[in-house]
Amino acid sequence: MAAVAVAGCGALLAAGCSPPGGTGAGPSGSPPGATATGPGSPGPSGSPSGSPAVPGPPAKGSVTVSGEIAKGLESPWGVAPLPGGDLLVASRDKGTISRVSVGSGTVTEIGEVPGVAPGGEGGLLGLALSPSFASDRLVYAYFTTESDNRIARMRYDEQRAPGQQLGAPDTVLRGIPKGSIHNGGRIAFGPDKMLYAGTGETGDGALAQDKKSLGGKILRMTPDGKPVHGNPEADSVVYSYGHRNVQGLAWDKDKRLWAAEFGQHTWDELNLIEPGANYGWPEAEGKAGRPGMRDPVAVWRTDEASPSGIAWAQGSIWMAALKGERLWRIPLAGAEPVAAPEAFLEGKYGRLRTVVALGGDRLLLVTSETDGRGSPEAGDDRILTLTVQ
């Protein structure tokens, strides 16, 4: 998503400031028994043992909630910042897309996505703007239908009446397996202007290892939904496999792709994605050290995380946690963590769904208390602005 400036985001929330270092009680990023200075683990200098030091961010960070853009949202999921700063927000259960004014907080429905069949963890999920949005006005959406998950694009016409501003959907990819759980759903255009999607295996672990299935994968395709030259297999949109349920995608300043995904009972994961790599599910969960399978860069107990959206800012990956009800910071020097992950905002806003980088030290954070698994209070769900270091 393109960086945008957000101005006039409402009253400051003085109570939302966490001190530097957050809770200071994050996990080590390795299962018990892992060697603290083994291959690929930070040594005393914060760089992998035996490799040159790569400058990284401070080990301790900070998060301040600087404003509230909107509240009273129903099952918000995907967010796409518009040129100028307003936001498009998807409602998972209503199947609608709304425009949120960052100046006034006004929420205006722009249209309903035809064919959305919400249920369980499915519905209208990720949103992304075309790399040529300024000229083509195309909005991409990942959503669940009665038969599958798919990606479609619609033209956004602001000149039409509210509620009728979305054109007919043009499906670019269909046939992603659907289920009551593990539908994935995050989509984003990468630095290469190709479209990436994180999918789930619908609870059927065998799909994750089946390269002919679109379930349990990260997909890479052209804006028209076709396989990209340079994909691991020329006739396939499959980019990496062996995933359980990918809901977070982000690129760092060096254009490395990172992804967050749900574990089962033990380890949630942050992975550095390489084309053609196997990330292990269902044969491996967490740092299993299996030959031919990639271990995650960091792991969390599932009750501390259950990760959804991620974003890169200020040298760190920022990861929204649903069950964990906190925002995780993973400081990185290149592709390696420089310190243990830190937790912020623990329990302050409930379940956290989506994080969006706005450039510099600014993030958007979307709560997820109205998704059927939270405990919504007056004003939920919310979109908050954060200042981070």
Side-chain angles (χ1 to χ4, degrees), residues 131-308:
S132 305
F133 180 79
S135 57
D136 63 30
R137 312 302 290 178
L138 291 177
V139 178
Y140 285 71
Y142 182 116
F143 58 96
T144 311
T145 73
E146 293 289 353
S147 60
D148 65 358
N149 285 295
R150 62 184 61 175
I151 301 170
R153 58 189 176 188
M154 298 151 285
R155 192 176 305 278
Y156 175 30
D157 185 353
E158 299 173 53
Q159 303 305 311
R160 300 181 66 180
Q164 302 176 26
Q165 295 176 340
L166 290 177
D170 170 27
T171 300
V172 299
L173 185 70
R174 66 180 73 235
I176 303 169
K178 64 160 284 188
S180 60
I181 59 172
H182 303 179
N183 289 287
R186 195 70 60 182
I187 57 174
F189 281 93
D192 56 1
K193 297 186 179 180
M194 296 297 106
L195 180 61
Y196 294 72
T199 73
E201 35 75 297
T202 71
D204 180 357
L207 296 182
Q209 291 294 320
D210 180 357
K211 294 183 184 180
K212 296 186 182 302
S213 171
L214 299 180
K217 308 294 189 297
I218 292 176
L219 311 177
R220 177 178 181 247
M221 67 201 82
T222 69
D224 295 325
K226 306 301 182 185
V228 181
H229 177 72
N231 275 6
E233 297 184 15
D235 60 348
S236 174
V237 297
V238 172
Y239 192 65
S240 63
Y241 67 107
H243 300 286
R244 186 168 182 263
N245 189 23
V246 178
Q247 289 194 5
L249 297 172
W251 288 264
D252 63 24
K253 67 180 179 63
D254 296 314
K255 301 181 182 180
R256 286 178 287 251
L257 174 59
W258 298 84
E261 67 177 280
F262 290 83
Q264 185 171 31
H265 300 303
T266 312
W267 299 114
D268 293 326
E269 301 179 358
L270 176 70
N271 286 296
L272 176 61
I273 303 302
E274 298 290 344
N278 180 358
Y279 288 83
W281 182 254
E283 297 173 28
E285 180 183 2
K287 296 190 175 185
R290 295 282 188 91
M293 297 180 180
R294 297 296 179 93
D295 277 352
V297 172
V299 299
W300 293 260
R301 293 289 184 182
T302 54
D303 59 353
E304 294 180 313
S306 296
S308 190

Side-chain angles (χ1 to χ4, degrees), residues 62-87:
S62 64
V63 172
T64 301
V65 178
S66 52
E68 179 180 274
I69 291 179
K71 61 183 180 181
L73 302 173
E74 183 177 335
S75 61
W77 213 101
V79 176
L82 291 164
D86 284 357
L87 309 172

Side-chain angles (χ1 to χ4, degrees), residues 5 36 41 116 129 134-135 216 222 241 253 266 282-283 308 317 331 342 346 381 384:
S41 299
V116 174
L129 301 185
S135 57
T222 69
Y241 67 107
K253 67 180 179 63
T266 312
E283 297 173 28
S308 190
I317 292 289
E342 295 177 274
E346 186 173 350
D381 270 308
L384 307 171

Side-chain angles (χ1 to χ4, degrees), residues 75-79 89-92 124-126 184-186 247 308 353-354:
S75 61
W77 213 101
V79 176
V89 180
S91 170
R92 186 194 71 181
L124 179 56
L125 304 173
R186 195 70 60 182
Q247 289 194 5
S308 190
R353 172 69 67 182
T354 296

